[in-house]
Amino acid sequence: MKPAWLILGGALVVSPAMAQDISLKPLIDARLRYENVDQAGLPRDAEATTIRIRSGVQASSGPLSAIVQMQGMLALTGDYYDGLHGAATRPLIADPQNIALYRAQLQYRSKSIALTVGRQSIALDDERFVGAVPFRQNAQTFDATRFEWTGVKGLKADLTYAWRVNTVWGIDGVGARPRSIGGDNVLGNLSYASPVGTITGFAYLVDQDETAVQGFRLSSQTYGARLAGARPLGKGIKLSYQLSYATQSDYHRNPNRYRADYYLIDAGLDLHALKLGAGYEVLGADKGVALTAFQTPIATGFKFQGWADKFLTTPPDGVRDLYGNVGYGWKQAGPFKALTLQAVYHRFAADRHSRLYGDEIDLLASAKLGKTSLSARYADYQADGFATDTRKFWLQLDWSL
């Protein structure tokens, strides 16, 4: 398979007539973040002030477009362990310094077809199984060919072949935290917009050549279905809901033989500015030994099971997450727009046994000021049989052109 930049290089050789019709759009965004982690059992806290800048250009001509975008991440303060550098006597903050090609893609888009080739960001559904990991400074991209079809009203087919996953560990990634993971990944998604919500059937064949976690390959085959919808209940009142089930087993060269199930039930109620929600998510276990539970190695894990990141790799006995959330928002508050306050509570337990893992409280305040988004987050995980007490705090500024 040719590298993405060679594909784009050939595709961008256009005739003089086409060149006159090309429109250019600059792509620039920046993020400044402070993160502090206090983790029981480690002698020192971790503090990181990092800045990430992405810059590039999108060129479009009729149904064709091309994107080339670079990314650079710099640690302004370095009192932390980034997974590759620094002393492991401090907690992990998974933002190593990096400079890399972020996206390099060519896309053809018509009324019913979109074909994207090259290095790209892919987020399917709610990113529970396939995501871009946008919270981490380096994010996650795929060297892939993606085909999307919407030729029948309400129906969408989405099929991706990805030969490489570029991880959040950047150019210095190595060993269990590699720069990228090769493999023949096939990501299939078929959805239909029904009166009760969007019904999706999916098949994700994850093929990982490298030994990504604890010396094992996390290759797996996952098949499932999802329903996501919303219904108005009155003026300014809306009920939203999600139901999902999946089954997973070993695939390709994964040395573990296992089968585990996934369940999700989630509901939310919007009462004008007040938002209430609750859910129950289960990543099941099989044998109760390492890496035989339901795993999601290419998901956006930060969005699920608490911001303290204690369950990015599912424990041998699986995990059950009972959670509730409350939020309140203002469209305008002084110079700020979209001001939001949110609190989430998680109760974690094992799937195979009745033992508890721990509790977590997550808090978020966010707002927009012009082209800048501001946010403050806090996560407090209290261990009760799994991992250790951990507190995390973030201050973040995002700006985009």
Side-chain angles (χ1 to χ4, degrees), residues 41 126 136 147 172 199 207 261 267 324 376 393:
D126 60 352
R136 296 270 50 112
F147 175 79
D172 292 334
I199 302 171
D207 176 19
D261 295 326
F393 175 71

Side-chain angles (χ1 to χ4, degrees), residues 296-366:
T296 59
I298 58 173
T300 297
F302 182 81
K303 290 180 61 177
F304 306 92
Q305 298 182 334
W307 300 333
D309 281 346
K310 292 301 179 181
F311 300 97
L312 293 180
T313 300
T314 307
D317 287 330
V319 58
R320 299 185 179 190
D321 177 15
L322 178 65
Y323 60 88
N325 59 76
V326 59
Y328 198 88
W330 296 263
K331 292 183 179 179
Q332 186 87 35
F336 299 102
K337 294 182 178 180
L339 178 61
T340 301
L341 301 176
Q342 181 183 8
V344 186
Y345 170 77
H346 295 267
R347 182 63 166 167
F348 300 110
D351 178 51
R352 290 185 72 246
H353 304 289
S354 59
R355 67 188 181 95
L356 297 176
Y357 282 156
D359 302 87
E360 182 169 329
I361 295 176
D362 296 328
L363 305 174
L364 170 66
S366 63

Side-chain angles (χ1 to χ4, degrees), residues 98-134:
N98 184 41
I99 183 167
L101 180 67
Y102 177 59
R103 287 191 294 170
Q105 69 179 54
L106 175 68
Q107 184 178 84
Y108 169 83
R109 181 177 291 276
S110 68
K111 184 178 180 180
S112 60
I113 291 175
L115 178 63
T116 309
V117 180
R119 182 161 298 178
Q120 55 193 285
S121 177
I122 299 177
L124 299 181
D125 296 322
D126 60 352
E127 301 188 69
R128 190 61 184 101
F129 302 106
V130 181
V133 198

Side-chain angles (χ1 to χ4, degrees), residues 67-372:
I67 292 176
V68 177
Q69 191 174 22
M70 299 297 295
Q71 172 179 273
M73 210 291 290
L74 177 67
L76 304 179
T77 60
D79 294 332
Y80 70 103
Y81 174 54
D82 65 13
L84 304 172
H85 314 96
T89 55
R90 297 181 186 272
L92 172 67
I93 296 178
D95 289 325
Q97 296 191 110
N98 184 41
I99 183 167
L101 180 67
Y102 177 59
R103 287 191 294 170
Q105 69 179 54
L106 175 68
Q107 184 178 84
Y108 169 83
R109 181 177 291 276
S110 68
K111 184 178 180 180
S112 60
I113 291 175
L115 178 63
T116 309
V117 180
R119 182 161 298 178
Q120 55 193 285
S121 177
I122 299 177
L124 299 181
D125 296 322
D126 60 352
E127 301 188 69
R128 190 61 184 101
F129 302 106
V130 181
V133 198
F135 183 76
R136 296 270 50 112
Q137 294 284 48
N138 293 318
Q140 175 173 271
T141 59
F142 298 81
D143 292 350
T145 296
R146 183 181 185 186
F147 175 79
E148 299 167 81
W149 177 81
T150 54
V152 176
K153 184 178 179 180
L155 188 66
K156 180 181 180 181
D158 192 328
L159 181 63
T160 296
Y161 167 69
W163 58 91
R164 187 164 298 279
V165 179
N166 304 293
T167 74
V168 301
W169 303 111
I171 57 174
D172 292 334
V174 67
R177 293 177 172 128
R179 172 180 180 173
S180 62
I181 302 175
D184 297 315
N185 302 277
V186 179
L187 314 172
N189 199 307
L190 182 65
S191 62
Y192 176 69
S194 76
V196 297
T198 300
I199 302 171
T200 304
F202 52 84
Y204 302 135
L205 309 182
V206 177
D207 176 19
Q208 298 200 327
D209 289 343
E210 282 76 15
T211 53
V213 177
Q214 299 179 13
F216 288 103
R217 296 175 174 87
L218 292 181
S219 300
S220 64
Q221 49 187 329
T222 302
Y223 307 93
R226 179 175 185 265
L227 169 67
R231 300 185 67 86
L233 300 180
K235 186 177 181 181
I237 302 176
K238 182 177 70 173
L239 172 68
S240 58
Y241 44 86
Q242 296 181 69
L243 297 170
S244 187
Y245 167 77
T247 183
Q248 182 181 94
S249 60
D250 55 278
Y251 179 67
H252 199 57
R253 290 187 292 171
N254 189 334
N256 297 303
R257 297 292 177 261
Y258 74 99
R259 183 184 178 279
D261 295 326
Y262 169 88
Y263 307 90
L264 170 70
I265 179 169
D266 178 279
L269 190 62
D270 289 8
L271 302 168
H272 303 284
L274 178 66
K275 300 180 185 299
L276 302 172
Y280 185 59
E281 184 183 47
V282 178
L283 278 73
D286 185 1
K287 301 178 178 66
V289 298
L291 302 178
T292 61
F294 198 106
Q295 304 292 339
T296 59
I298 58 173
T300 297
F302 182 81
K303 290 180 61 177
F304 306 92
Q305 298 182 334
W307 300 333
D309 281 346
K310 292 301 179 181
F311 300 97
L312 293 180
T313 300
T314 307
D317 287 330
V319 58
R320 299 185 179 190
D321 177 15
L322 178 65
Y323 60 88
N325 59 76
V326 59
Y328 198 88
W330 296 263
K331 292 183 179 179
Q332 186 87 35
F336 299 102
K337 294 182 178 180
L339 178 61
T340 301
L341 301 176
Q342 181 183 8
V344 186
Y345 170 77
H346 295 267
R347 182 63 166 167
F348 300 110
D351 178 51
R352 290 185 72 246
H353 304 289
S354 59
R355 67 188 181 95
L356 297 176
Y357 282 156
D359 302 87
E360 182 169 329
I361 295 176
D362 296 328
L363 305 174
L364 170 66
S366 63
K368 292 184 178 180
L369 183 62
K371 296 180 181 296
T372 304

